[in-house]
Amino acid sequence: MSRARRRVDRIREEIPIQRVLADYGYDVDPNYDGEQQFSCDLHGDGSDSKPSARVYPDSASWFCFACSATRDAIQTMRDKEGIEFFPALKKLESLYGLSPLPFEEGDYDSTKGAAHGAAKEIAGLLDPSKTFEDDQKRIQRLLEGFTADKSLPMMDTLSLWEAFDKINYYVRKEMLSEENGRVALGKIRKTALEKAKEAAKE
Ligand SMILES: [Zn+2]
């Protein structure tokens, strides 16, 4: 089972849907675990004078007859806040005090085989006082500098930016741990500096 799947299951099991609804201001009793009827603001003009929605704590979801949609806590947050799936998982976990689920072998490709071992070893050399975001900003400044002063051939600059964007995407989607993301950023930095050295010689 993927880590995302385990996170979804845990949210459904541990965060009462009626609590999430009450926290969003819906008229439900957060402490009652039976079905309750309430007004939904996610269809039409947002006013729902005849309450169209019903919460089913047993299945950790609610159904709105006017939306004709079933929503769990994650979908509720996505619809209320207009955010994507993974940010919603993260936000629910932190709002309701669920600590990050540990990764398991096979959660993503980069945990497999020797590459993972090597990445882990290099990660041990990372500056522990810095975060992924610190490294991200640092590499971004470096690439911006190279882009601005054209000290690298255009093709190199583009491929470095592409690699940079890809790493950020993988980390944001949690397909890559922040630690491995930092290792990958370090490789971009090394490549960029080597290319700059070569270009200066020519
Ligand atoms: Zn609705």
Side-chain angles (χ1 to χ4, degrees), residues 133-146:
E133 274 170 33
D134 293 331
D135 285 5
Q136 192 186 28
K137 276 183 204 145
R138 182 164 168 240
I139 305 303
Q140 183 166 344
R141 275 198 301 272
L142 181 78
L143 293 182
E144 279 167 356
F146 282 154

Side-chain angles (χ1 to χ4, degrees), residues 11-64:
I11 285 170
R12 290 193 181 148
E13 276 159 27
E14 298 194 15
I15 308 175
I17 184 69
Q18 67 274 23
R19 161 70 57 193
V20 175
L21 289 169
D23 287 347
Y24 271 121
Y26 290 106
D27 188 20
V28 301
D29 179 349
N31 298 312
Y32 177 62
D33 64 3
E35 294 177 16
Q36 304 177 62
Q37 197 81 16
F38 63 100
S39 292
C40 164
D41 61 343
L42 296 172
H43 60 264
D45 64 1
S47 65
D48 187 24
S49 50
K50 281 182 286 178
S52 305
R54 196 167 181 84
V55 62
Y56 303 95
D58 282 350
S59 60
S61 65
W62 59 284
F63 180 75
C64 172

Side-chain angles (χ1 to χ4, degrees), residues 5-157:
R5 183 73 241 174
R6 297 200 307 277
R7 292 172 72 186
V8 170
D9 288 348
R10 185 174 66 157
I11 285 170
R12 290 193 181 148
E13 276 159 27
E14 298 194 15
I15 308 175
I17 184 69
Q18 67 274 23
R19 161 70 57 193
V20 175
L21 289 169
D23 287 347
Y24 271 121
Y26 290 106
D27 188 20
V28 301
D29 179 349
N31 298 312
Y32 177 62
D33 64 3
E35 294 177 16
Q36 304 177 62
Q37 197 81 16
F38 63 100
S39 292
C40 164
D41 61 343
L42 296 172
H43 60 264
D45 64 1
S47 65
D48 187 24
S49 50
K50 281 182 286 178
S52 305
R54 196 167 181 84
V55 62
Y56 303 95
D58 282 350
S59 60
S61 65
W62 59 284
F63 180 75
C64 172
F65 297 91
C67 294
S68 85
T70 300
R71 296 179 174 94
D72 61 1
I74 300 158
Q75 194 58 46
T76 305
M77 178 173 268
R78 293 187 61 185
D79 289 340
K80 288 296 281 181
E81 304 195 23
I83 59 177
E84 287 179 43
F85 178 74
F86 280 104
L89 289 188
K90 204 167 199 172
K91 193 162 178 187
L92 281 165
E93 288 168 348
S94 84
L95 269 178
Y96 295 95
L98 302 179
S99 53
L101 263 191
F103 282 93
E104 288 177 6
E105 206 60 48
D107 274 345
Y108 50 77
D109 286 337
S110 58
T111 59
K112 284 179 190 151
H116 179 56
K120 246 185 170 168
E121 210 169 286
I122 302 168
L125 305 173
L126 293 172
D127 179 350
S129 69
K130 296 277 195 317
T131 64
F132 174 75
E133 274 170 33
D134 293 331
D135 285 5
Q136 192 186 28
K137 276 183 204 145
R138 182 164 168 240
I139 305 303
Q140 183 166 344
R141 275 198 301 272
L142 181 78
L143 293 182
E144 279 167 356
F146 282 154
T147 308
D149 66 13
K150 300 190 175 65
S151 51
L152 286 185
M154 185 52 95
M155 284 313 290
D156 288 337
T157 312

